[in-house]
Amino acid sequence: MRLLLANANTTDAVTETCARAARAAAAPDTEIVAVTPRFGPRVISSRAENAIAAHGLLDCLAEHHPGCDAAILAVSYDTALAAARQLLPIPVIGMTEAACLAACLAGGRFGLVTFSSPDLYREVIAGHGLAGRLSGIALIDATPYDAASDPESVAAKVAEAAAGLAREGADSVLLGGAALAGMAGLIQERVPVPLIDGIAAAVVFAEGIVRLRLPKPRLGGYAAPANRHAVGLGEALSALLRRG
Amino acid sequence: MRLLLANANTTDAVTETCARAARAAAAPDTEIVAVTPRFGPRVISSRAENAIAAHGLLDCLAEHHPGCDAAILAVSYDTALAAARQLLPIPVIGMTEAACLAACLAGGRFGLVTFSSPDLYREVIAGHGLAGRLSGIALIDATPYDAASDPESVAAKVAEAAAGLAREGADSVLLGGAALAGMAGLIQERVPVPLIDGIAAAVVFAEGIVRLRLPKPRLGGYAAPANRHAVGLGEALSALLRRG
Amino acid sequence: MRLLLANANTTDAVTETCARAARAAAAPDTEIVAVTPRFGPRVISSRAENAIAAHGLLDCLAEHHPGCDAAILAVSYDTALAAARQLLPIPVIGMTEAACLAACLAGGRFGLVTFSSPDLYREVIAGHGLAGRLSGIALIDATPYDAASDPESVAAKVAEAAAGLAREGADSVLLGGAALAGMAGLIQERVPVPLIDGIAAAVVFAEGIVRLRLPKPRLGGYAAPANRHAVGLGEALSALLRRG
Amino acid sequence: MRLLLANANTTDAVTETCARAARAAAAPDTEIVAVTPRFGPRVISSRAENAIAAHGLLDCLAEHHPGCDAAILAVSYDTALAAARQLLPIPVIGMTEAACLAACLAGGRFGLVTFSSPDLYREVIAGHGLAGRLSGIALIDATPYDAASDPESVAAKVAEAAAGLAREGADSVLLGGAALAGMAGLIQERVPVPLIDGIAAAVVFAEGIVRLRLPKPRLGGYAAPANRHAVGLGEALSALLRRG
Amino acid sequence: MRLLLANANTTDAVTETCARAARAAAAPDTEIVAVTPRFGPRVISSRAENAIAAHGLLDCLAEHHPGCDAAILAVSYDTALAAARQLLPIPVIGMTEAACLAACLAGGRFGLVTFSSPDLYREVIAGHGLAGRLSGIALIDATPYDAASDPESVAAKVAEAAAGLAREGADSVLLGGAALAGMAGLIQERVPVPLIDGIAAAVVFAEGIVRLRLPKPRLGGYAAPANRHAVGLGEALSALLRRG
Amino acid sequence: MRLLLANANTTDAVTETCARAARAAAAPDTEIVAVTPRFGPRVISSRAENAIAAHGLLDCLAEHHPGCDAAILAVSYDTALAAARQLLPIPVIGMTEAACLAACLAGGRFGLVTFSSPDLYREVIAGHGLAGRLSGIALIDATPYDAASDPESVAAKVAEAAAGLAREGADSVLLGGAALAGMAGLIQERVPVPLIDGIAAAVVFAEGIVRLRLPKPRLGGYAAPANRHAVGLGEALSALLRRG
């Protein structure tokens, strides 16, 4: 099976971090194809950048999806998820969406640890219809860059924040942010409830959903657009809108 | 991998129908261990029977889970799901829960086709926090028994009802009821949106969640009970409550 | 009037505590018939035990309800309430349900003081559709056993917690847990808003609802099941499922 | 026990209809004191009249509550309920509020049959936090006046509408409107789920809540106002605001 | 354009404070006609007074609206807003309603700073369907009278509370209470998010809505009542109910 | 005052239709500056196109906003609204957002008449937190192109659909879709509740909000991004992200 792992940030190092986490979680016969958009924000950290990144991500997915069985959006805001899902002929899964669903399967309510933008996460989770299962969000006093430069210190802060959420009622805790991909395993033993890594969850769910062979809808808001015309878009994206 | 597939009805034929659907969906190296409770309702079709069946199901899970990697509840009301999840040391997944999550990954809102008890399904879905993603429920004029005796006719009714839900806004449609396990594939081409089989979804999600190796919570409402004492319960269930 | 007061824990002492509170609240001509299940958890304190206890409670209600005008479930999780309501030909009221409704009549929002399991209470209250009227839950640092062994100290903690909830916006406060039955009167004067005892509320509402003479539904999810077959259940419960 | 039954319409005939229904539901030793405001709309049938009627009703309650154990608002919009509850030293119950709570005790979801103003009823029920338990509202093609002049015909329409709501999922049905007080008993046998009369429900709940002897809150939004000054109000109402 | 600014408190000084704020916000060719009810509470600070004040306010609007293009309710509980909107032939806007809508246009979620009665504000905002956009309410330790006698000190408290709400997630902050009308401008620079003055917002929205020339509904719950009869009301109000 | 009216479709004719409606609604001294993006979908009619259009719209706003007092998004899906609001130093208003708020001021619940994509509209309205005020959506059997080629016929269909929504409980009706801009006035007399034109509403609200002079937030999710770097974006947009 081939899974397309598309970053929405235009920073190759983040793509690589996510790809490593994905490969660690994937089944032996699953190939991870990791790609970075041609244009867009370096690192999304605001609503404005998130909206701009959607275009770059869709452009990237349009170019690289042929030959893949499903696509994973390696961006913690699930950027352009519904749009990509409608546009592509293959299943598409967001990393925070996947983390939420894994948390649902773990039971009860989930917390989230991240760097910043709690409102944006809240809106993403509410958009999935799961606001009622979110117990709380804890911010750590660090940046995504610190996660690369001083991983020990960030790991300690994440573990402490996650344990705090657990004491206040979280039955599991999501790590939000591509920069934290792969960290859950390192600190799990310091936290009394499951830590959930969005990339790993997205990989196993993508493998599962591919095996269910659900057909592409032919009706409704997720049926592929067709005969749509646009100006100034990349070739692959234009073609996808035109042909459906 | 070994998955325990536990029915909550005490009717072996239903267990067998579900086991067939599970084996068809499972990976080659996944073994399905199908079990039926020692006591409880023949076929659950009311709140009262559902409450009684919870005990029989937990008794059955307590006895048969050793040696299994995860458990699937093969009953469309997700009977005793939270209780089983708390009680067992392995992941537990409900078939309607799994169907809902697969529908979430398919995108948008989902409908449900079933035989009866729409309120019970509504409560189950609301209990998962997903009421906002349910577009509607359609009842077919048939019984679970008809699904065995006259599958063609029931299949036609299900297909028509599912197509109707799609026209009214469902982006995917769940088939509710263990008696419909395995039917989705037969009628998919007559319906313009994905049909989702709870047993198949539960199998691939169970395989995925096992691979995530989430630890059992040590805190909160899903940590295993321990030192709990009871009267008149089966041996395996008593032992599980006592030892944690 | 005869009211059946059925415990869901298999501990006679808890049944007796509740029966005393019920008799103190009942009208002079109301007889309280207090019963304890034949099997099930000694003291419910987890989702798993709560699910198991449902069967024991329904078995107990099936045996003892003949000759009674209504049934009160003397268990603070309203265990098996909807199932019992559907199954029995007489009205059934849960003690936490009754406390919530009394709080509604007192006006505004209510808080809850209890020992543990806030999530379970939250789910029970949400199940009644009243999540919007819950202002908060306060846990006291004590166990149900302490309430029997050191009632003064527990009473002081409950009073303090209740007063705190009132300062944060509760217009009344529920005491959750059968072990607190009867305590409200002792500490009311230390708390600036009404304290509500679930057993007392259930008794007066049961008396009232009996006098309304509402008929048993003949349609829908609360009509009695009939012609339902089961394996390995007690005689009275089997008969009730069979005959409707 | 003495229960004050206060109409919010200034039409004595409606007060009398409600008083008859209240006396039929009351315990033998309960006295019903029925009163009509000195000023206000003849028959409330709009938001504007409802807002005006609140003043007349509070004026009326201020004058007549001394010597009574609780007050019932005999107006189906639960006019001024929270205000009266805050103002008076005795419990206050609205007739639609009481009907909703009786329906909750009957189980599941309730429908409502009435003459007009479905939005106003929806707002009243949502104000009680119970929107989630309302299954639907059915309007009959008749006026409150018809209920007096041609009761047989109106009864037939109400029965038909209630049966329709039951078929669509209502587990019980409320009769909305003071003009339908007392009708439930006449048509119950034609409807397969319980019909609930707000006046009767209010009477039995008032009797019950009085027996719980809940104290008046000394804190929060339902504590009595005191030292409040006003211009041009009736003497009893002015005094109550001043003295608390 | 002439805008009627109607207070619901019977205190001329409050009317004047609001009128000043309104004139400061109004376009050069907008005339503000400020009026005070003939009867009702001096200063509304409880549910009871709010219900009584509705009548006085409607009486006042009925008398003074002829010749005006729209009406603004200068009372922070949006007293009688729906009733006035139904009753009058011109648009009616509540000051807190207007503040909420301005906050929506500013984006994200809003906080509220006020003196007391947080529950009442919560209910008002929920009644507008905007509970989901309220981030929190902060109370200051002062009274409306202090705002007149010691404005500096109250301003400092309001600024501090508003800044606190901003740090906890408010994207803008409403000042609740007619006594704070006009204060926003004085302290805006001390607060990092927009402060919203209900009177100013109501004025500019009233000017805008008048220019949209929306017709009075002829159907539904906001169509004017007609042929309605009442007892003991003021002449203008009686006439309006009678004529529609 | 200068208002920037930015289309998100790259079709000049649609921009012109909206500009005409805007100029008809604007105050005499308000200048409407109408602009069309350099790239993006011709006419947005799917989630995928909507996500792509966000970039083109932000690029267009970044270039053209200098010298303007506020911006109006002339696209009925309120494309990129939160992003634009965060990015720009001036107020930004969406046309459907404005229509919803005008409907709130008209009172009660609103319906929506449009061509297609009801789910997208539902999500937009829910995103504004106003799902509870939406009474329903009616689709007409026509396309946006028909509105230009056969306006009489489309107007008749819109009027009929709007009147139907009013009969089913809408207190006002929004016309959804830039292609219907300006139509409300033509058919208002055939519909018994107010018809609301999003462009007109956006213009008067923009004029009002500019006069409130709310400062740009310096904190939280709507404070301007700064020091953000991106690849391959247009010059004005890049500069805005960099400088804040």
Side-chain angles (χ1 to χ4, degrees):
Chain A
M1 191 181 299
R2 292 183 93 206
L3 299 181
L4 181 64
L5 184 92
N7 194 357
N9 305 285
T10 56
T11 301
D12 287 328
V14 176
T15 309
E16 271 320 295
T17 300
C18 292
R20 263 194 306 278
R23 286 178 189 126
D29 58 345
T30 295
E31 181 187 355
I32 302 295
V33 180
V35 293
T36 305
R38 297 184 298 127
F39 60 90
R42 283 291 185 208
V43 174
I44 303 168
S45 78
S46 65
R47 280 186 176 81
E49 289 163 295
N50 200 34
I52 295 165
H55 179 198
L57 177 58
L58 293 171
D59 175 89
C60 180
L61 290 167
E63 183 176 347
H64 295 289
H65 80 277
C68 293
D69 297 290
I72 291 170
L73 307 186
V75 49
S76 61
Y77 304 121
D78 288 347
T79 308
L81 175 56
R85 195 164 266 161
Q86 180 190 42
L87 188 65
L88 297 192
I90 57 174
V92 180
I93 297 185
M95 69 179 271
T96 291
E97 175 190 48
C100 290
L101 299 190
C104 287
L105 290 178
R109 295 190 298 157
F110 55 88
L112 176 91
V113 175
T114 191
F115 298 102
S116 63
S117 301
D119 273 15
L120 214 40
Y121 279 102
R122 244 178 252 284
E123 289 166 22
V124 167
I125 292 166
H128 295 322
L130 288 167
R133 297 195 68 165
L134 176 66
S135 70
I137 295 181
L139 301 183
I140 55 169
D141 184 17
T143 71
Y145 303 102
D146 300 334
S149 63
D150 186 1
E152 281 301 305
S153 158
V154 169
K157 288 173 178 176
V158 171
E160 187 180 14
L165 287 167
R167 282 192 301 272
E168 289 159 17
D171 295 299
S172 64
V173 174
L174 278 53
L175 303 192
L180 297 180
M183 182 174 285
L186 307 178
I187 57 174
Q188 176 67 72
E189 64 183 19
R190 299 183 231 169
V191 182
V193 298
L195 293 176
I196 297 180
D197 181 301
I199 291 289
V203 167
V204 300
F205 285 153
E207 291 174 345
I209 211 86
V210 166
R211 291 203 3 247
L212 289 179
R213 277 173 307 205
L214 302 179
K216 178 76 182 169
R218 304 191 306 270
L219 189 71
Y222 290 87
N227 296 314
R228 309 306 307 161
H229 297 274
V231 179
L233 305 189
E235 212 167 297
L237 185 53
S238 288
L240 209 50
L241 288 170
R242 222 165 37 233
R243 287 194 322 254
Chain B
M1 193 180 298
R2 291 182 93 206
L3 299 181
L4 180 63
L5 183 91
N7 194 357
N9 305 285
T10 56
T11 300
D12 288 328
V14 176
T15 309
E16 270 320 295
T17 300
C18 292
R20 264 196 304 278
R23 288 181 186 122
D29 58 347
T30 296
E31 180 188 354
I32 301 294
V33 180
V35 292
T36 306
R38 294 185 298 127
F39 59 91
R42 285 291 185 208
V43 174
I44 302 169
S45 78
S46 64
R47 279 185 178 82
E49 290 164 294
N50 199 35
I52 296 166
H55 178 197
L57 178 57
L58 292 171
D59 174 90
C60 180
L61 290 165
E63 183 177 348
H64 295 289
H65 80 276
C68 292
D69 296 290
I72 292 171
L73 307 187
V75 48
S76 60
Y77 302 120
D78 288 347
T79 307
L81 174 56
R85 195 163 266 162
Q86 180 191 41
L87 188 66
L88 297 191
I90 57 175
V92 180
I93 297 184
M95 68 179 271
T96 292
E97 176 190 48
C100 290
L101 299 190
C104 287
L105 291 177
R109 294 189 300 156
F110 54 88
L112 176 91
V113 175
T114 191
F115 298 102
S116 63
S117 302
D119 272 15
L120 214 41
Y121 279 102
R122 241 178 254 282
E123 288 165 21
V124 166
I125 292 166
H128 296 321
L130 288 166
R133 297 194 70 164
L134 176 66
S135 71
I137 295 180
L139 301 183
I140 56 168
D141 184 17
T143 70
Y145 303 102
D146 299 335
S149 63
D150 187 1
E152 281 302 305
S153 158
V154 168
K157 288 173 179 176
V158 171
E160 188 180 13
L165 286 167
R167 282 191 300 273
E168 289 159 17
D171 295 299
S172 65
V173 175
L174 278 54
L175 302 193
L180 296 180
M183 184 175 283
L186 306 178
I187 59 175
Q188 175 67 71
E189 64 183 18
R190 298 182 230 168
V191 182
V193 298
L195 293 176
I196 296 181
D197 182 302
I199 292 288
V203 166
V204 302
F205 286 154
E207 292 174 345
I209 211 87
V210 166
R211 293 209 355 253
L212 289 180
R213 277 175 306 207
L214 303 179
K216 178 75 183 171
R218 301 191 309 270
L219 189 71
Y222 289 88
N227 295 315
R228 308 306 307 159
H229 297 274
V231 180
L233 305 190
E235 212 167 297
L237 185 53
S238 288
L240 209 49
L241 287 170
R242 221 164 37 231
R243 287 194 322 255
Chain C
M1 192 181 298
R2 291 182 92 205
L3 299 181
L4 181 64
L5 182 94
N7 194 357
N9 305 285
T10 55
T11 299
D12 287 329
V14 177
T15 309
E16 270 320 294
T17 300
C18 292
R20 263 195 305 279
R23 286 180 187 123
D29 58 347
T30 295
E31 180 187 355
I32 302 294
V33 181
V35 292
T36 306
R38 294 185 297 127
F39 60 91
R42 284 292 183 208
V43 174
I44 303 170
S45 76
S46 65
R47 279 185 178 82
E49 291 164 293
N50 199 33
I52 296 165
H55 178 196
L57 178 58
L58 292 171
D59 174 271
C60 179
L61 290 166
E63 183 176 346
H64 294 290
H65 79 277
C68 293
D69 296 290
I72 292 169
L73 306 187
V75 49
S76 60
Y77 303 120
D78 288 348
T79 307
L81 174 56
R85 195 165 264 162
Q86 180 190 41
L87 189 65
L88 298 191
I90 57 175
V92 180
I93 296 183
M95 68 180 271
T96 292
E97 175 189 48
C100 290
L101 299 189
C104 287
L105 291 177
R109 295 190 298 157
F110 54 87
L112 176 90
V113 175
T114 190
F115 297 100
S116 63
S117 301
D119 273 14
L120 214 41
Y121 279 102
R122 243 178 253 282
E123 290 166 20
V124 166
I125 292 166
H128 295 323
L130 289 167
R133 296 194 70 164
L134 177 66
S135 70
I137 295 181
L139 301 183
I140 55 168
D141 185 17
T143 70
Y145 303 101
D146 300 335
S149 64
D150 187 3
E152 282 301 306
S153 158
V154 169
K157 289 173 178 178
V158 171
E160 188 181 12
L165 287 167
R167 282 191 301 271
E168 289 158 16
D171 295 300
S172 64
V173 175
L174 277 54
L175 302 192
L180 296 180
M183 184 175 283
L186 307 177
I187 57 174
Q188 176 67 71
E189 64 184 18
R190 298 183 231 169
V191 182
V193 298
L195 294 176
I196 298 181
D197 182 301
I199 292 289
V203 166
V204 301
F205 286 154
E207 292 173 345
I209 211 86
V210 166
R211 288 196 13 240
L212 288 180
R213 278 175 306 208
L214 302 179
K216 178 76 182 168
R218 301 191 310 269
L219 190 71
Y222 289 88
N227 296 315
R228 308 306 308 161
H229 296 273
V231 179
L233 306 189
E235 211 167 298
L237 185 53
S238 289
L240 209 49
L241 287 170
R242 222 165 37 234
R243 287 194 323 253
Chain D
M1 193 180 296
R2 292 182 92 204
L3 299 181
L4 180 63
L5 182 93
N7 194 357
N9 304 285
T10 54
T11 301
D12 288 328
V14 176
T15 309
E16 270 320 295
T17 300
C18 292
R20 263 195 305 277
R23 287 177 187 125
D29 58 346
T30 296
E31 180 187 356
I32 302 295
V33 180
V35 293
T36 305
R38 294 184 299 127
F39 60 90
R42 283 292 186 207
V43 174
I44 303 168
S45 76
S46 65
R47 279 184 178 82
E49 289 163 295
N50 199 35
I52 296 165
H55 179 197
L57 177 57
L58 292 170
D59 174 271
C60 179
L61 290 166
E63 182 177 347
H64 294 289
H65 80 276
C68 294
D69 297 289
I72 292 170
L73 308 187
V75 49
S76 60
Y77 303 121
D78 288 347
T79 308
L81 174 56
R85 194 165 267 162
Q86 180 190 40
L87 187 66
L88 297 192
I90 57 174
V92 180
I93 297 183
M95 68 179 271
T96 292
E97 175 190 47
C100 290
L101 299 190
C104 286
L105 291 177
R109 295 190 298 157
F110 55 86
L112 176 89
V113 175
T114 190
F115 297 102
S116 64
S117 301
D119 274 15
L120 213 40
Y121 278 102
R122 243 178 254 283
E123 290 166 21
V124 166
I125 292 167
H128 295 322
L130 289 166
R133 296 195 70 165
L134 177 65
S135 70
I137 296 181
L139 301 183
I140 57 169
D141 184 19
T143 70
Y145 304 102
D146 299 335
S149 63
D150 186 3
E152 280 301 305
S153 158
V154 168
K157 289 174 178 175
V158 171
E160 188 181 13
L165 286 167
R167 282 191 302 271
E168 289 158 17
D171 295 298
S172 65
V173 175
L174 278 54
L175 303 193
L180 296 180
M183 184 175 282
L186 306 177
I187 59 174
Q188 176 65 73
E189 65 182 19
R190 299 182 231 171
V191 182
V193 298
L195 294 175
I196 296 181
D197 183 300
I199 291 289
V203 166
V204 300
F205 286 153
E207 291 174 344
I209 210 85
V210 166
R211 289 200 7 246
L212 290 180
R213 277 174 308 205
L214 302 178
K216 178 75 182 169
R218 303 191 307 270
L219 190 71
Y222 290 88
N227 295 315
R228 308 306 308 161
H229 297 274
V231 179
L233 305 190
E235 210 168 298
L237 185 52
S238 289
L240 208 49
L241 288 169
R242 221 164 38 233
R243 287 194 324 253
Chain E
M1 193 180 299
R2 292 183 92 205
L3 299 181
L4 180 63
L5 182 92
N7 194 356
N9 304 286
T10 54
T11 300
D12 287 329
V14 177
T15 308
E16 269 322 294
T17 300
C18 293
R20 264 195 306 277
R23 285 176 189 124
D29 59 345
T30 296
E31 179 188 355
I32 302 294
V33 181
V35 293
T36 305
R38 296 184 297 127
F39 59 91
R42 283 293 185 206
V43 174
I44 303 170
S45 78
S46 64
R47 281 184 177 83
E49 289 163 296
N50 199 34
I52 296 165
H55 179 197
L57 177 58
L58 293 171
D59 174 271
C60 179
L61 290 166
E63 182 175 348
H64 295 289
H65 80 276
C68 293
D69 296 289
I72 292 171
L73 308 187
V75 50
S76 60
Y77 304 120
D78 288 348
T79 307
L81 174 56
R85 196 165 265 161
Q86 180 191 41
L87 188 66
L88 297 191
I90 57 175
V92 180
I93 297 184
M95 68 179 271
T96 292
E97 176 190 48
C100 290
L101 298 189
C104 287
L105 290 177
R109 295 189 297 157
F110 54 87
L112 175 90
V113 174
T114 190
F115 297 102
S116 64
S117 302
D119 273 14
L120 214 41
Y121 278 102
R122 243 178 253 283
E123 289 165 21
V124 166
I125 291 166
H128 295 322
L130 288 166
R133 296 194 70 165
L134 176 65
S135 70
I137 295 180
L139 301 184
I140 56 169
D141 184 19
T143 70
Y145 303 101
D146 299 335
S149 64
D150 186 3
E152 281 302 305
S153 158
V154 168
K157 289 175 179 177
V158 171
E160 186 181 13
L165 286 168
R167 283 191 302 271
E168 290 159 17
D171 295 299
S172 65
V173 175
L174 278 55
L175 303 192
L180 298 180
M183 183 176 284
L186 307 178
I187 58 173
Q188 176 66 72
E189 63 182 20
R190 299 182 230 170
V191 182
V193 298
L195 294 176
I196 298 181
D197 182 301
I199 291 289
V203 166
V204 300
F205 286 153
E207 291 173 346
I209 211 85
V210 165
R211 289 199 7 245
L212 289 180
R213 276 174 310 207
L214 302 179
K216 178 77 183 168
R218 302 191 309 270
L219 190 70
Y222 290 87
N227 295 314
R228 309 305 308 160
H229 297 274
V231 179
L233 306 188
E235 211 167 297
L237 184 53
S238 289
L240 208 49
L241 288 170
R242 221 164 38 234
R243 287 193 325 251
Chain F
M1 193 180 298
R2 292 183 92 206
L3 299 181
L4 180 63
L5 183 92
N7 194 356
N9 306 284
T10 54
T11 300
D12 287 329
V14 176
T15 308
E16 269 321 294
T17 301
C18 292
R20 263 195 306 277
R23 286 176 188 125
D29 57 347
T30 296
E31 181 189 354
I32 301 294
V33 181
V35 292
T36 305
R38 296 184 299 126
F39 59 91
R42 284 291 185 209
V43 174
I44 302 168
S45 78
S46 64
R47 279 185 179 81
E49 291 163 294
N50 199 34
I52 296 165
H55 179 198
L57 177 57
L58 293 171
D59 174 271
C60 179
L61 290 166
E63 182 176 349
H64 295 289
H65 79 275
C68 292
D69 297 290
I72 292 171
L73 307 187
V75 49
S76 60
Y77 303 120
D78 287 347
T79 307
L81 174 56
R85 196 165 265 163
Q86 180 190 40
L87 188 65
L88 297 192
I90 56 175
V92 180
I93 297 184
M95 69 180 269
T96 292
E97 176 189 50
C100 289
L101 299 190
C104 287
L105 290 178
R109 295 189 299 156
F110 55 87
L112 176 90
V113 175
T114 190
F115 298 101
S116 64
S117 301
D119 273 14
L120 215 40
Y121 279 103
R122 243 178 255 282
E123 290 165 20
V124 167
I125 292 165
H128 295 323
L130 288 167
R133 296 194 69 165
L134 177 65
S135 70
I137 295 180
L139 302 182
I140 57 169
D141 185 18
T143 71
Y145 304 101
D146 299 336
S149 64
D150 186 2
E152 281 301 306
S153 158
V154 168
K157 289 174 179 176
V158 171
E160 187 181 12
L165 286 167
R167 283 190 301 270
E168 289 158 17
D171 295 300
S172 65
V173 175
L174 278 54
L175 303 193
L180 297 180
M183 183 174 284
L186 307 177
I187 59 174
Q188 176 65 72
E189 64 183 17
R190 300 182 230 169
V191 182
V193 299
L195 293 175
I196 297 180
D197 182 300
I199 291 291
V203 166
V204 300
F205 287 153
E207 293 174 344
I209 210 86
V210 166
R211 291 204 2 249
L212 289 180
R213 277 175 306 209
L214 303 179
K216 178 76 181 167
R218 303 190 307 270
L219 188 72
Y222 289 87
N227 296 315
R228 308 306 308 159
H229 297 274
V231 180
L233 305 190
E235 210 167 298
L237 185 53
S238 289
L240 209 47
L241 288 169
R242 221 166 36 235
R243 288 192 324 253

